[in-house]
Amino acid sequence: RQHERIAQLEENLDDKKSGNTDKMLKTISSLKKQLAEKDKAIVEMAEELEKRNYDISNLKKQVRSLTNDVAELTDANKAQEEVLIAQSDMLNVGYVMIATKDALKSAGVLTGGSLLKKSKLDLRNIDASKFTKIDIRETKTFTIPSKKAEVMTQMPKKAYKITANSDGTSTLTVTDAANFWSISKYLVIKY
């Protein structure tokens, strides 16, 4: 519109040549120059805007890609954490059987035990379902329904203590869990 308006003014000036015409023509020429510069600036700004829109579009794609990567890593991390917890739980499982000599024999854990032979612990064919499953990180004491108790498995003697209770029971207390469970995850106590 500005270009059309300037062209119209020039036509009118050509028709009416007067003393002010030269001055007006210079003004029109100056306005044309300014308008050409502004047109050029508008084109440059439009190109810059297009470039920035392209950059913004690429940045949005990168953000979406990074967001997806973070989500995938979070899922992988969560899955790995679950596996680690499961492995930790498996590593920290212990099996306990506290029973009389006859009950241990019937469970297949104890063999022998005649007049001339001492009873022996036999863990070769253990049925874990006959044992009480525990978390060795949490369980530190075991109540034995007798004052007389014998740890049949080869647990280090320095890693536990057995104390008699006033009610006719006794308590095995694990004092060093890492050492106590280092040889076997099975604890067999005969009373």
Side-chain angles (χ1 to χ4, degrees), residues 19-133:
N20 286 337
T21 305
D22 288 337
K23 195 175 181 184
M24 294 281 256
L25 283 173
K26 283 182 183 177
T27 304
I28 289 172
S29 176
S30 172
L31 289 172
K32 277 183 166 180
K33 187 176 177 184
Q34 287 178 7
L35 192 56
E37 288 173 2
K38 291 193 190 261
D39 284 346
K40 183 180 175 186
I42 288 172
V43 169
E44 288 173 358
M45 285 184 199
E47 289 172 354
E48 184 67 26
L49 181 62
E50 186 65 33
K51 182 180 175 190
R52 297 215 180 191
N53 284 341
Y54 178 77
D55 290 344
I56 289 170
S57 176
N58 282 341
L59 288 173
K60 283 182 179 179
K61 285 179 186 174
Q62 288 177 350
V63 166
R64 278 193 299 271
S65 175
L66 290 173
T67 301
N68 289 339
D69 290 349
V70 166
E72 288 172 8
L73 287 172
T74 301
D75 290 345
N77 198 15
K78 197 179 288 185
Q80 192 174 31
E81 190 175 304
E82 289 171 3
V83 167
L84 288 173
I85 289 170
Q87 286 176 341
S88 177
D89 288 346
M90 283 176 34
L91 289 172
N92 291 296
V93 168
Y95 299 92
V96 178
M97 183 179 287
I98 301 171
T100 63
K101 179 180 178 180
D102 292 337
L104 292 173
K105 276 187 173 185
S106 67
V109 176
L110 216 54
T111 60
S114 63
L115 285 174
L116 302 174
K117 263 185 155 181
K118 189 176 178 185
S119 298
K120 285 187 179 180
L121 187 64
D122 183 10
L123 298 177
R124 289 177 292 174
N125 299 318
I126 287 184
D127 181 3
S129 66
K130 294 183 180 181
F131 286 76
T132 302
K133 188 176 178 179

